[in-house]
Amino acid sequence: MENNLVEEDISRRCNVDGVLYDDGDSWVPKAVKKCATCSCHRGRVICHEAVCPPVSCKDPVKLSGECCPTCISRNKIASGKCFFHGDKRQHHVGTMWYPYVPPFGYSTCAICSCVPGRNEYNCTRIRCPKLDCPDPIRLRGTDCCKVCPVKPVTLTRKSKNVQQDAPKKGDCSVGGKRFDNGEEWNPRITNFGTEKCVTCKCKNGKAKCRRPRCPRLHCRRKTRPSGSCCRVCADGKNGRKDRKRKNRRRKGKAGRNASKLF
């Protein structure tokens, strides 16, 4: 039993250029781009290229050792740095960066900066604007803030006629357009275009939008085919059969080890 735990713990580690990293560790890679961070996730190495916050100045500069440009003048660089454990980098006082959260990568939902005079950092979550719609949606799973679905793509003849007539009980009004009770449509998001992976439906006077439920995948390499809303396994399988076989082997091995104790 104890040997099985040791084997499982070793299988979760990552061996990179002769260096053994524990599950959850992060490091700055040497073999890839400098502005990237890698992490070990259950025996698999995952690397993410640095994502930089937007700058408000016309001529930003990139300080030595920093991945992202900043609006600080080279002649006005404040003394002091702070070490961030997520991306394993030293950051200058006055610079801002997105935190690296292994194994998910750089989170754009918060922004970090060094505390002047101390080798410490402070990270604050980005504030999302207030929305005046009843059912806001998140365009992508990685988005921090939700938006209001507006301006449907197409209207049926029936819905166009409804706008000219008196509103009926249970109808919905979205973005200046009226929909019948039970009618469905794909919303159009301002500045983003048509969101084909979101379906809205009018139900008893309220418009509710949702994304399709994607199947859970048990494979290492995943890809999103063109025109699809869900990811699939790169090898064309969902990995469930392989996982079941692996679980059977583990249970069989555990049973054999347990029988040796008696």
Side-chain angles (χ1 to χ4, degrees):
M1 188 88 176
E2 184 176 347
N3 291 335
N4 291 339
L5 294 176
V6 174
E7 292 178 1
E8 184 176 354
D9 182 62
I10 294 177
S11 66
R12 287 173 172 263
R13 296 180 179 179
C14 300
N15 191 331
V16 181
D17 297 330
V19 180
L20 196 63
Y21 294 96
D22 290 331
D23 183 30
D25 283 352
S26 59
W27 65 92
V28 177
K30 297 179 181 179
V32 295
K33 296 180 179 179
K34 291 183 178 180
C35 288
T37 305
C38 298
S39 62
C40 179
H41 181 60
R42 298 179 179 179
R44 185 163 57 104
V45 177
I46 304 175
C47 297
H48 297 88
E49 190 172 351
V51 180
C52 298
V55 293
S56 57
C57 57
K58 293 183 179 180
D59 299 311
V61 296
K62 185 179 290 187
L63 303 179
S64 175
E66 295 285 353
C67 289
C68 298
T70 181
C71 291
I72 300 176
S73 173
R74 294 183 184 275
N75 299 328
K76 298 181 180 179
I77 300 176
S79 61
K81 295 181 180 180
C82 64
F83 181 77
F84 185 68
H85 295 274
D87 59 10
K88 295 294 187 292
R89 284 186 170 85
Q90 294 279 354
H91 294 273
H92 290 81
V93 172
T95 60
M96 294 186 297
W97 68 93
Y98 288 134
Y100 181 81
V101 183
F104 306 104
Y106 289 88
S107 172
T108 58
C109 297
I111 196 160
C112 303
S113 61
C114 291
V115 179
R118 293 186 290 177
N119 186 21
E120 297 178 3
Y121 59 86
N122 181 41
C123 296
T124 56
R125 187 173 179 82
I126 294 177
R127 292 184 180 180
C128 296
K130 292 183 179 181
L131 304 175
D132 57 356
C133 54
D135 296 294
I137 61 175
R138 201 181 305 274
L139 294 180
R140 291 169 291 272
T142 55
D143 289 349
C144 305
C145 302
K146 295 183 178 181
V147 296
C148 291
V150 295
K151 296 181 181 180
V153 180
T154 57
L155 296 175
T156 61
R157 294 179 180 179
K158 193 172 183 180
S159 62
K160 288 181 179 179
N161 294 333
V162 169
Q163 297 180 61
Q164 299 175 358
D165 302 332
K168 298 179 182 179
K169 186 178 180 180
D171 289 353
C172 299
S173 179
V174 180
K177 307 295 182 180
R178 193 173 297 279
F179 297 90
D180 288 339
N181 188 18
E183 189 173 355
E184 295 183 355
W185 68 94
N186 295 112
R188 183 175 181 81
I189 312 299
T190 303
N191 299 329
F192 290 96
T194 304
E195 184 51 62
K196 296 182 180 179
C197 293
V198 174
T199 301
C200 298
K201 183 177 182 179
C202 177
K203 185 176 181 181
N204 300 326
K206 293 184 178 180
K208 294 187 176 181
C209 301
R210 63 180 59 185
R211 285 180 171 272
R213 290 186 177 181
C214 297
R216 187 176 180 180
L217 303 176
H218 303 284
C219 52
R220 291 190 174 185
R221 295 185 58 197
K222 303 177 182 65
T223 181
R224 191 189 302 275
S226 177
S228 176
C229 299
C230 298
R231 295 192 299 174
V232 298
C233 292
D235 57 3
K237 302 178 182 179
N238 61 8
R240 292 181 178 178
K241 292 183 178 179
D242 296 338
R243 188 174 183 181
K244 288 181 180 179
R245 292 173 183 171
K246 189 174 182 180
N247 289 337
R248 290 196 196 104
R249 288 197 298 267
R250 286 184 177 179
K251 290 180 180 179
K253 189 174 182 180
R256 290 193 299 270
N257 291 334
S259 63
K260 294 178 181 179
L261 299 176
F262 299 95

